[in-house]
Structures are given as structure tokens and as C-alpha cells.
Amino acid sequence: MSMTDLLKAEDIKKAVGAFAAADSFDHKKFFQMVGLKKKNPDEVKKVFHILDKDKSGFIEEEELGFILKGFSADARDLSAKETKTLLAAGDKDGDGKIGVDEFSVLVAES
């Protein structure tokens, strides 16, 4: 399954383009723009599993740095600051990674 099976390619392109500048990433705005906020819980979980590149059941800090690439291969990497901000927003239990339930909450809070 690819991201465009769940989200519109046009929405992905607009959202990735909106945060092309370094240190401009805002996960709440991004999740809204890409259409993730409107998806049902099962679809949000499917997006999580696409972003979980190593299939560990978690999105670790390193994977978070490449989160935009999970939506569009030609997107930029997040800066270290953006990655840490996103991790802090999503890591509710403090284990240094974001699980599927934490990701679902992160999207719902957007």
C-alpha cells in the first residue's frame, strides 16, 4: 500500500510544498493539509504503518526525520529541531518513539 492509496496526491504535494523551507514544519497544519485529520482510525493506522519504515511497530526519532519523505519521495528531511519537536508532541509515554496509538492521538489533536 502506498500513501496515495489513502491520501490524495494533490493534497500531499500541496502540504509538502507548504513546508519546503527549513524549520517551517508544523505537524498539526501538515496533517490537516494532507487530509489525514479527516481519515478514520483504521486509515490513520495504515498511514502509521507506511511511515514505520523498519516495521518495528514504532516511529523512532530517526524515522521521524524522514517523515515528509514517507508522504512524498522528493520531500525534504526535517531538521533536528523539527524532529525533536515532533517527537515531543507525539511521544506520550516518554520512551523516545511514537507508537501507533500515540500517532493516532497526535493526528486527532491536529
Side-chain angles (χ1 to χ4, degrees):
M1 178 170 291
S2 75
M3 201 62 80
T4 53
D5 292 332
L6 297 162
L7 302 169
K8 294 178 187 171
E10 183 179 315
D11 291 343
I12 292 171
K13 186 176 181 178
K14 282 182 190 173
V16 167
F19 299 102
D23 290 324
S24 67
F25 184 71
D26 177 325
H27 67 275
K28 292 181 179 184
K29 289 180 185 172
F30 181 82
F31 291 155
Q32 289 172 357
M33 289 181 73
V34 73
L36 193 53
K37 177 86 172 139
K38 298 176 194 166
K39 297 298 175 182
N40 70 47
D42 286 339
E43 291 169 317
V44 171
K45 288 178 182 179
K46 287 176 183 174
V47 168
F48 171 87
H49 291 297
I50 292 170
L51 296 172
D52 178 18
K53 296 296 184 193
D54 65 2
K55 305 299 178 209
S56 66
F58 297 94
I59 301 176
E60 293 86 359
E61 187 170 347
E62 182 179 333
E63 288 173 312
L64 278 179
F66 306 123
I67 195 167
L68 292 178
K69 283 185 169 28
F71 289 88
S72 177
D74 60 352
R76 71 176 178 88
D77 295 341
L78 296 185
S79 69
K81 178 183 172 188
E82 289 170 315
T83 302
K84 292 198 181 306
T85 299
L86 181 55
L87 182 61
D91 180 19
K92 301 297 185 193
D93 62 8
D95 64 357
K97 53 195 174 187
I98 297 175
V100 67
D101 292 334
E102 290 171 317
F103 183 76
S104 296
V105 170
L106 188 65
V107 170
E109 291 177 346
S110 301

